[in-house]
Amino acid sequence: MRLALIVNPQAGRGHGARVGVEAASALRAAGADVSVYAGSTAEQTMTLAERAVRADPDGVVVVGGDGTLAGIIDVLAENGHPITLVPAGTGNDLARALGIPTGDPQTAALVALHGSARTIDLGTIRSQGSARTFLTVAALGFDAKVSERTNALRRPSGRLRYYLALVIELARLRSTLFRISIDGDAERVQPGTLLAVGNTRSYGGGMPICAGARPDDGLLDIVHVAPLRRRRLLRLFPLLLRGSHLGLPEVRHRRARSVRVAAPDLVVYADGERVGVSECVIGVRPAAVTMMVPKE
């Protein structure tokens, strides 16, 4: 097979380069003809993805996180090449959804040769006059504000910065006055602490906020958590980690094809990346892309 291997060396705080080398070695040892494309910025990665698909390979292997793949997925999906994800990010939630091993780059890469094809949906977001595709979950509440705070802090480094952001946002906790319209219904005002719209079940490295979501059902899972006090929110986190929160009285869960959300303090993140503010329209493109997954 002729494979294009697109590598984000910066993924996973710099682990992408090593993972890319391991993936290429495993594929070549298995007999594949591998062309490597490595870019250090999102713009370079997009340019290289376009160059890779013009070479018309038998398949495309992407080394990076959910954000890396989301940034080039439209180019890859448009050309119809089967895609294999070798997870090298910090969250890797799409890999979890597809059963791709997150700690074994060589095994993940060999899915390109020995796996099965699975067609999945893509999420779409329009905000502030621009549009982008997402793979996993769009966050529009407290969790998005924590991500925003994390990016604004210069110290400390690593996970400690996230924990500090979490403490700051807990201290500033306020409910958001969401204005929500689902599948074109009349807009309703629904105050809340969290609002997540998922194509897959988890975000943040495995937190199943949209437990039960499937990336191939043509629908989005919408999870709304009512306004909570700090103590109640802290008590809810263990249930979120287990995916057993959907039955709580504070939680509403439904499936739909589109949702429009607006709020004065709205911040929108998807696949861990900042998307927009104030308002957004989220939709789904059913059966939009073919992914290679491990055989059952």
Side-chain angles (χ1 to χ4, degrees), residues 79-149:
N79 287 272
H81 297 94
I83 303 164
T84 303
L85 175 62
V86 179
T90 55
N92 300 319
D93 288 285
L94 180 63
R96 288 181 171 85
L98 300 179
I100 297 169
T102 58
D104 188 345
Q106 296 188 16
T107 299
L110 291 175
V111 169
L113 303 178
H114 308 304
S116 301
R118 180 180 178 184
T119 303
I120 67 169
D121 310 327
L122 296 175
T124 63
I125 302 180
R126 287 187 285 113
S127 180
Q128 295 181 289
S130 63
R132 64 157 287 168
T133 301
F134 72 98
L135 301 162
T136 59
V137 177
L140 300 90
F142 173 78
D143 40 5
K145 292 177 181 178
V146 172
S147 295
E148 187 88 331
R149 178 70 58 179

Side-chain angles (χ1 to χ4, degrees), residues 277-290:
V277 296
S278 300
E279 64 178 355
C280 66
V281 178
I282 304 176
V284 63
R285 288 163 51 192
V289 66
T290 299

Side-chain angles (χ1 to χ4, degrees), residues 187-239:
E187 183 178 271
R188 297 177 60 188
V189 177
Q190 299 184 39
T193 300
L194 288 175
L195 182 62
V197 182
N199 183 46
T200 63
R201 69 192 302 267
S202 72
Y203 62 3
M207 183 181 291
I209 183 70
C210 296
R214 291 180 54 86
D216 57 3
D217 62 1
L219 297 171
L220 299 164
D221 280 53
I222 304 168
V223 176
H224 173 269
V225 180
L228 300 174
R229 296 182 180 273
R230 295 183 188 89
R231 183 175 299 179
R232 179 58 177 161
L233 179 58
L234 288 171
R235 289 178 177 175
L236 181 64
F237 267 107
L239 300 178

